Amino acid sequence: MTVTQAAPPPVASDTGPTNTQTRAPRRRPGGSNGRKWLEIAIFAGPALLVFISFVIVPVALAAVYSLYNWNGLGPLDRFIGLDNYVRAFSDPLFVKAIGNNATIVVASILVQGPLAIAVALLLNRRMRGRGLIRALIFVPYVLAEVIAGLSWKLLLSPRGGVNAVLEGIGLGHLAKPWLADPDTALWVMFGILTWKYLGFAILLMLAGLQGVPEELQEAAAIDGASWWQTQWRITLPLLGPTIRIWIFLSMIGSLQLFDMVWVTTKGGPIGATNTMAVYMIQYGQGQYGYGSAIAVILFVISLIVALVYQRFAMRRDLAGAITSGVR
């Protein structure tokens, strides 16, 4: 008779290989996507709600009001279709206002941009009193538009300080009612805008210049490049993103220009300094349907300009946004 012993059960060893395959926690289908959308809702939801409430809804309401002859009181019951838009583009004053906005946009880019770059390059060099000059240049930008506009309105009046200075230095024949002359009022207004907003452009350019590596400029100097060659070949190309952003801000600000014009001239004389926003306030009061049509036109023009510029000029700066697919 033989007795067979049962084999002992396997003992887990601390050193030997073990079958330690662990099962990954089972995830419910769609759990990851659900968490992702929850995070998007938490972080972007409040901003999206504010954007819809204060941008999308007002624009949609303005588009609806623009189709009615409505004075702001009573129900919307006088539907007139696109008559408000036809009226706007048939009014020479509104067409002139669009032209004034376009003139200010182009003049800002051609005059303020190069001037801001030149001053920023100058102030970026080591020089005595550089901090004080930077502060003084930025002072007009921090002034309220109402204060700046009223100050210039007094200075440029027929008996104002500008004409008094001209007469004092023997140039009295140049004295004129600067803001009352239809031939020069728009350019005088552009001069005021340049004085007001040039400091912001210079500050933006100075911030962009801080990102230009000094090693590149030093290497160019060692290679014999002059200061102008260094700025033209190295600094300005590297300053490109800052310049493009400033141009974008300048275009949108010029298209929506209102406060400075309203304070100084209210669009006069004879509509010489009128802008779309000023025209909307002048002719939209009491005619909310017509005013809404002007607001929609201003919004559409600004939106088209912004999208076209972002797609074709800022595509390298905004890669991955609306410029995806652009080559």
Side-chain angles (χ1 to χ4, degrees):
M1 179 176 182
T2 60
V3 178
T4 58
Q5 295 181 349
V11 179
S13 174
D14 294 337
T15 56
T18 57
N19 186 12
T20 57
Q21 289 183 352
T22 57
R23 293 182 178 179
R26 180 178 297 178
R27 295 180 179 178
R28 291 181 301 177
S32 178
N33 288 334
R35 181 175 180 178
K36 182 182 69 176
W37 284 109
L38 178 62
E39 292 175 352
I40 292 175
I42 291 175
F43 289 106
L48 186 62
L49 182 62
V50 171
F51 180 77
I52 293 175
S53 301
F54 294 98
V55 178
I56 301 299
V57 172
V59 171
L61 289 176
V64 173
Y65 295 156
S66 67
L67 303 177
Y68 288 85
N69 183 8
W70 188 49
N71 61 1
L73 301 174
L76 291 170
D77 54 1
R78 287 186 290 180
F79 182 79
I80 58 174
L82 300 177
D83 286 358
N84 282 327
Y85 295 95
V86 175
R87 175 188 170 189
F89 287 109
S90 301
D91 188 351
L93 286 178
F94 182 66
V95 176
K96 185 175 180 59
I98 296 177
N100 289 341
N101 278 112
T103 301
I104 293 174
V105 169
V106 175
S108 298
I109 295 173
L110 296 181
V111 176
Q112 294 178 4
L115 189 59
I117 294 172
V119 176
L121 290 175
L122 179 64
L123 293 180
N124 198 43
R125 307 181 70 175
R126 292 184 177 86
M127 56 185 294
R128 181 173 297 178
R130 184 176 61 174
L132 178 61
I133 296 174
R134 287 181 177 183
L136 292 177
I137 288 176
F138 195 64
V139 166
Y141 183 72
V142 301
L143 287 177
E145 274 77 2
V146 174
I147 297 175
L150 288 176
S151 299
W152 279 109
K153 187 176 181 179
L154 293 174
L155 288 172
L156 296 172
S157 63
R159 296 181 180 275
V162 174
N163 285 341
V165 171
L166 290 175
E167 292 174 357
I169 60 176
L171 298 176
H173 61 283
L174 296 178
K176 59 189 305 182
W178 298 96
L179 292 174
D181 187 350
D183 295 330
T184 60
L186 181 62
W187 299 110
V188 174
M189 178 59 62
F190 175 71
I192 297 174
L193 295 173
T194 301
W195 169 84
K196 180 72 173 65
Y197 298 109
L198 184 64
F200 174 73
I202 293 174
L203 189 70
L204 205 61
M205 300 301 172
L206 283 171
L209 287 174
Q210 304 312 308
V212 178
E214 294 184 1
E215 293 80 2
L216 295 178
Q217 299 179 354
E218 293 172 356
I222 293 174
D223 290 340
S226 65
W227 185 83
W228 288 106
Q229 289 175 326
T230 303
Q231 306 309 316
W232 184 255
R233 300 287 185 181
I234 296 176
T235 304
L236 288 182
L238 293 177
L239 197 60
T242 304
I243 296 174
R244 288 190 288 273
I245 290 176
W246 172 80
I247 290 176
F248 177 77
L249 296 176
S250 179
M251 287 194 305
I252 298 302
S254 299
L255 288 174
Q256 299 176 349
L257 179 63
F258 170 75
D259 38 19
M260 187 64 77
V261 176
W262 184 258
V263 171
T264 51
T265 64
K266 286 186 168 57
I270 322 176
T273 59
N274 224 347
T275 63
M276 288 186 282
V278 172
Y279 180 91
M280 179 182 67
I281 298 300
Q282 286 179 331
Y283 297 94
Q285 293 182 354
Q287 306 177 73
Y288 290 95
Y290 185 60
S292 298
I294 302 300
V296 171
I297 294 172
L298 174 58
F299 172 77
V300 171
I301 292 176
S302 300
L303 182 64
I304 291 174
V305 170
L307 292 179
V308 170
Y309 183 79
Q310 287 188 2
R311 183 170 183 83
F312 294 104
M314 299 180 68
R315 57 184 179 179
R316 289 175 294 178
D317 308 317
L318 301 175
I322 62 171
T323 56
S324 59
V326 176
R327 297 288 185 269

